[in-house]
Amino acid sequence: MSIESTHSHDNDAHPAAPGDHHDHKPTGFFNRWLFTTNHKDIGTLYLVFALIMFFIGGGMAMVIRAELFMPGLQLVEPDFFNQMTTMHALVMVFGAVMPAWVGFANWMIPLMIGAPDMALPRMNNWSFWILPFAFTMLLSTLFMDSGGPAAGWTLYPPLSLQGGQSFAFVVFAIHMMGISSIMGSINVIATILNMRAPGMTLLRMPLFVWTWLITAYLLIAVMPVLAGAVTMLLTDHFFGTSFFNAAGGGDPVMFQHIFWFFGHPEVYIMILPAFGVVSEIIPTFARKPLFGYAAMVFATASIAFLSFIVWAHHMFTVGMPLMGELFFMYATMLIAVPTGVKVFNWVSTMWKGSMTFETPMLFAIGFVVLFTIGGLSGLMLAIASVDLQYHDTYFVVAHFHYVLVPGAVFALMAGTYYWLPKWTGHMYSETWGKIHFWVSTISVNILFFPQHYLGLAGMPRRIPDYSTQFADFNMISSIGGFIFGASQLIFVGVIVHCVYKSRKAAQGLVWEGGKGLEWTLSSPPPYHSFNTPPLIDPTTISHPEEAH
Amino acid sequence: MVRTDQAERQPSHTKLVRRLVLIAIGMFGFGFAMWPLYNVFCDLTGLGGRGVKVVENAGELEVSDRQIKIRFDATVNSALPWVFQPKEKAMVVSLGEMSEALYLAMNVADEPLTGRATYNVTPPEASLYFVKTECFCFTEQVLLANESREMPVYYFIQPDLPEHIKEITLSYTFYLDDNTSSVAQASSSDQ
Ligand code: HEM
Ligand SMILES: [Cu+2]
């Protein structure tokens, strides 16, 4: 490819740049992976870790769906069931989705803004290597006498304080995850603000970089609040304080306020990078620039801002004053406006485009359609007066799984298919990618759509048994769940095949319509890329016109 | 905004990182600051129904001829084996009139137990006009095995109570006050 050769020529033209120019990887397995400070290696570590956690969390989901296959208690003890729902959520949120996005950030941000690496490479190594320890600690509670946490991922007191000694491990694990996320975010912000190649102005940055910049600020703002909340739980449990203990003058409802002050921005932490990835993929396969780039940036920023003032929509039933209910109801509905702007922009980008439907595009379109369904059920939940009925039912479960599974997780898969050839230098199997997409998309709807009806009919969440009128839809949902779980094995198969077996070499510009600096590099990119800043050529970046 | 050019490709990140770390530490503090802020906020606004004022000496009261119904409610936390109820379920009082309400508590366990009561007022807005001069909830209460006791509350409602409030509920919950064994109690009670 001519682009590659121009690039290597470019590299040679600036031999004076500081640092090691050789494309040497450190030798030896441990040297390479344990001590690595290379953004590509660390990105890979994060992604592999997230995939493992996705399967551990998924295994727990299979236990849950198996128990709910039929009414009655068949497979597991109720207390273990509760541990499964709690752990499933903690593992998926903090172990799978968040680290996967950090993995994407590590791999792609330096490539997209023309930086040689992340700003703080050593800290980068730390942020990753904290995670396996945190999750070993969290998962080990399942094997302790008092069992794993069982009060739900929201850890509401007083229930969460009635567990045994293993609770301390949960709290410390959450502390470690928080520290890891904060360090990762600091790195992302420093990289984006300080290390862009000359000419890569803020309003020329790819949307994935923009969404991650905003996500990183959200993380720095709310992860410490979660750390504070669980610290207060810890001292209430073990040291006799009464932050949330009504008998001692505390207030359990205050925990809910603090938790959701973290929790609602947290759901946007999981979805904003997804918006970014989808905004990269759709223009590529529609062969048109993104419709309304600036609108997308502002929509992302306003979603981030609004996410701080809507937390109590999770608490409509605690007995808020009427004015409070109204405020949080309208503020929540307001979020639908910038979210709608995004959806319309994606659709307008596809409008009259020369579209092709490779696997990344399929997942991106699946994202747009199914995430929107989740957004609409969110709007229903935002109506305070009807939330009194929906709250804590399967309707809520259906809502957040639509936004998180065919939402965040589909975007992760879309991004994986999109950049896997870039990362590995090989093409994945398009046939198997498409099979993966169709099986996942059909089964995810069989899995979650019936849960809307279960919730409207009154089936409560987080209960291992249910009355018999819910039997049919639960069985359908479980069958969908098993198919969805199994279809993720295809995903792993495609990745393993692509990395180790695929003989089809990928070009530098993997996708014909691809724009952005990452495509000016070879596939795989050299171990050290952009040691000298690239020249920003308006024809190769996605948003050249926005700089004025 | 920070601009990069060729010369400062490897700029010092120290300043930015320091600022970001400070934000993180500040937000950790903010989580804890919620604790006093929450209480101040509730006291000021009456939200949560805990804006009740406590005075030692009511002084001279101006009794208005507007009357209002006060309901009394009682709950006991499951960890405390007491029976607890109001002597009368409701009474009608004049605004500004000093009144007394009586609650009855009985320890049905075979050991002495210490209880502590929390309270709130519904509608929450009314708590801002609710004044107590004496209440069993101000201190911890010890009941010997099978002992029972009348527990009084002295209170009045300020005459400036907004018109739209027609009825007020005063609600108490008794908890076991035993910091040292509450953990053991909680974990043994869910088996
Ligand atoms: C239009 C946008 C959205 C609106 C209006 C909305 C509204 C709501 C409301 C009102 C609830 C509380 C329901 C209840 O507990 O009774 C809720 C729960 C939830 N939402 Fe959303 N939501 C939106 C988007 C999202 C997104 C993008 C995500 C994540 C990617 C998300 C994740 C969640 C989760 C995880 C819960 C349940 C938390 C729990 O109780 O465990 N939502 N949503
Ligand atoms: Cu929310």
Side-chain angles (χ1 to χ4, degrees):
Chain A
M1 274 236 62
S2 64
I3 295 178
E4 282 161 60
S5 50
T6 4
H7 175 73
S8 51
H9 173 79
D10 196 51
N11 251 357
D12 295 339
H14 305 269
D20 181 8
H21 268 230
H22 306 284
D23 206 31
H24 288 165
K25 300 182 170 74
T27 46
F29 184 80
F30 283 101
N31 250 339
R32 165 86 188 270
W33 296 109
L34 210 53
F35 301 118
T36 183
T37 56
N38 180 285
H39 74 102
K40 303 182 182 83
D41 283 352
I42 293 176
T44 304
L45 286 171
Y46 266 111
L47 289 170
V48 171
F49 177 81
L51 191 62
I52 294 170
M53 286 296 144
F54 182 58
F55 275 88
I56 293 178
M60 294 170 179
M62 294 299 108
V63 173
I64 296 170
R65 278 324 316 173
E67 177 59 56
L68 294 176
F69 190 73
M70 284 195 292
L73 297 174
Q74 280 96 19
L75 297 174
V76 294
E77 294 292 314
D79 186 52
F80 186 71
F81 180 90
N82 292 344
Q83 294 177 29
M84 286 293 102
T85 54
T86 306
M87 279 290 202
H88 161 71
L90 290 173
V91 167
M92 285 301 196
V93 170
F94 295 104
V97 176
M98 290 169 67
W101 285 131
V102 183
F104 273 88
N106 266 290
W107 250 107
M108 299 317 299
I109 289 177
L111 298 189
M112 289 177 143
I113 62 174
D117 203 311
M118 295 293 279
L120 309 152
R122 274 165 213 272
M123 192 167 87
N124 208 7
N125 172 292
W126 266 73
S127 347
F128 172 75
W129 279 108
I130 286 178
L131 283 181
F133 292 95
F135 279 88
T136 307
M137 205 148 91
L138 179 68
L139 291 169
S140 69
T141 60
L142 286 174
F143 305 100
M144 295 180 187
D145 279 348
S146 49
W153 80 286
T154 51
L155 302 171
Y156 282 4
L159 189 59
S160 64
L161 297 178
Q162 291 170 7
Q165 308 295 315
S166 66
F167 187 68
F169 288 80
V170 177
V171 170
F172 288 132
I174 293 177
H175 281 153
M176 285 163 73
M177 297 165 203
I179 290 172
S180 162
S181 300
I182 291 169
M183 295 201 307
S185 309
I186 290 178
N187 224 332
V188 166
I189 296 177
T191 308
I192 297 176
L193 292 188
N194 288 347
M195 304 202 24
R196 277 170 290 130
M200 178 56 75
T201 56
L202 282 175
L203 279 179
R204 276 181 172 178
M205 294 195 311
L207 260 171
F208 179 69
V209 180
W210 258 114
T211 53
W212 238 114
L213 179 64
I214 293 168
T215 302
Y217 275 108
L218 285 182
L219 275 165
I220 291 182
V222 300
M223 287 309 285
V225 176
L226 174 68
V230 296
T231 307
M232 288 186 253
L233 285 178
L234 183 82
T235 60
D236 270 13
H237 192 316
F238 293 101
F239 304 115
T241 57
S242 297
F243 288 107
F244 310 125
N245 174 6
D251 188 340
V253 174
M254 185 176 73
F255 177 85
Q256 302 187 19
H257 282 290
I258 302 178
F259 182 87
W260 288 114
F261 184 82
F262 146 81
H264 189 81
E266 168 68 19
V267 306
Y268 283 97
I269 285 165
M270 292 189 276
I271 206 70
L272 291 185
F275 293 165
V277 165
V278 170
S279 305
E280 300 298 325
I281 293 174
I282 289 180
T284 298
F285 295 96
R287 291 164 184 78
K288 272 175 65 191
L290 187 71
F291 185 89
Y293 168 83
M296 285 298 226
V297 172
F298 286 113
T300 309
S302 38
I303 290 177
F305 169 75
L306 288 173
S307 75
F308 283 104
I309 57 163
V310 298
W311 75 89
H313 64 216
H314 297 273
M315 305 168 53
F316 282 139
T317 56
V318 300
M320 265 189 284
L322 185 63
M323 283 312 290
E325 306 252 343
L326 288 173
F327 172 80
F328 287 108
M329 170 169 124
Y330 288 125
T332 302
M333 291 181 164
L334 215 54
I335 293 201
V337 176
T339 310
V341 167
K342 283 177 174 287
V343 173
F344 283 115
N345 275 334
W346 292 319
V347 174
S348 320
T349 307
M350 289 187 267
W351 180 253
K352 291 188 172 169
S354 330
M355 286 207 281
T356 50
F357 299 93
E358 286 87 344
T359 311
M361 184 63 162
L362 289 178
F363 271 102
I365 295 174
F367 170 94
V368 174
V369 174
L370 299 175
F371 172 80
T372 305
I373 295 180
L376 290 176
S377 59
L379 268 175
M380 290 172 69
L381 291 166
I383 305 169
S385 49
V386 300
D387 183 66
L388 300 187
Q389 182 194 338
Y390 303 158
H391 181 66
D392 261 345
T393 69
Y394 258 79
F395 192 82
V396 177
V397 177
H399 157 65
F400 66 73
H401 281 97
Y402 262 90
V403 283
L404 285 172
V405 183
V409 173
F410 267 31
L412 282 164
M413 289 170 176
T416 306
Y417 283 111
Y418 188 55
W419 284 308
L420 197 59
K422 171 59 61 187
W423 297 335
T424 62
H426 309 290
M427 291 307 288
Y428 60 86
S429 159
E430 195 61 56
T431 315
W432 282 100
K434 286 192 170 126
I435 294 174
H436 173 222
F437 169 76
W438 284 110
V439 180
S440 291
T441 302
I442 293 168
S443 60
V444 86
N445 284 293
I446 301 174
L447 166 58
F448 293 122
F449 211 83
Q451 295 183 0
H452 291 113
Y453 299 111
L454 287 170
L456 293 179
M459 178 172 159
R461 64 191 280 211
R462 294 175 175 158
I463 309 266
D465 189 6
Y466 47 83
S467 85
T468 45
Q469 83 258 28
F470 303 130
D472 293 349
F473 276 8
N474 269 297
M475 190 177 283
I476 295 170
S477 177
S478 287
I479 292 171
F482 300 143
I483 303 174
F484 184 77
S487 73
Q488 301 326 309
L489 297 173
I490 307 177
F491 185 46
V492 178
V494 174
I495 294 174
V496 170
H497 170 264
C498 177
V499 174
Y500 294 107
K501 284 268 158 57
S502 169
R503 296 229 182 74
K504 207 173 152 209
Q507 298 176 316
L509 180 65
V510 176
W511 310 107
E512 176 198 44
K515 295 268 186 207
L517 291 176
E518 77 264 37
W519 307 118
T520 64
L521 296 170
S522 59
S523 297
Y527 194 60
H528 298 287
S529 42
F530 295 133
N531 276 328
T532 42
L535 294 176
I536 305 291
D537 168 359
T539 58
T540 58
I541 64 171
S542 29
H543 313 293
E545 305 304 327
E546 303 289 345
H548 50 256
Chain B
M1 208 66 303
V2 186
R3 283 291 298 258
T4 11
D5 49 32
Q6 203 95 13
E8 45 175 66
R9 263 224 112 204
Q10 229 71 22
S12 144
H13 302 296
T14 330
K15 225 169 101 188
L16 177 64
V17 171
R18 196 182 303 137
R19 208 175 312 150
L20 295 174
V21 170
L22 280 179
I23 298 179
I25 294 173
M27 289 310 289
F28 185 69
F30 176 76
F32 284 89
M34 289 288 271
W35 161 244
L37 289 179
Y38 185 82
N39 287 328
V40 170
F41 185 75
C42 289
D43 288 347
L44 288 181
T45 57
L47 289 184
R50 289 177 309 176
V52 173
K53 287 190 211 87
V54 177
V55 295
E56 294 255 308
N57 195 330
E60 272 195 31
L61 290 175
E62 220 179 282
V63 181
S64 105
D65 46 10
R66 188 177 148 208
Q67 290 200 315
I68 185 162
K69 188 170 180 186
I70 315 280
R71 295 176 178 275
F72 301 99
D73 171 60
T75 316
V76 190
N77 181 269
S78 59
L80 183 67
W82 286 11
V83 176
F84 174 55
Q85 51 201 211
K87 251 194 137 166
E88 282 171 84
K89 285 215 148 53
M91 61 169 65
V92 175
V93 301
S94 299
L95 299 188
E97 169 194 23
M98 180 60 81
S99 317
E100 180 189 16
L102 276 180
Y103 278 80
L104 196 66
M106 185 166 84
N107 179 0
V108 294
D110 294 331
E111 47 173 345
L113 286 171
T114 310
R116 184 177 265 283
T118 64
Y119 62 89
N120 74 2
V121 170
T122 316
E125 189 190 355
S127 69
L128 296 171
Y129 306 89
F130 204 107
V131 188
K132 288 185 186 177
T133 56
E134 208 183 305
C135 177
F136 61 89
C137 56
F138 296 163
T139 54
E140 55 187 30
Q141 301 287 327
V142 184
L143 287 184
L144 300 177
N146 297 308
E147 187 192 12
S148 63
R149 189 186 308 151
E150 283 187 344
M151 299 186 173
V153 190
Y154 294 95
Y155 69 95
F156 66 92
I157 313 290
Q158 290 177 5
D160 55 348
L161 182 78
E163 278 296 329
H164 64 92
I165 300 178
K166 309 283 185 229
E167 210 175 86
I168 298 177
T169 305
L170 175 63
S171 172
Y172 285 96
T173 305
F174 251 113
Y175 291 92
L176 179 69
D177 184 2
D178 192 355
N179 263 331
T180 45
S181 70
S182 62
V183 174
Q185 197 86 19
S187 52
S188 67
S189 68
D190 65 347
Q191 257 141 42

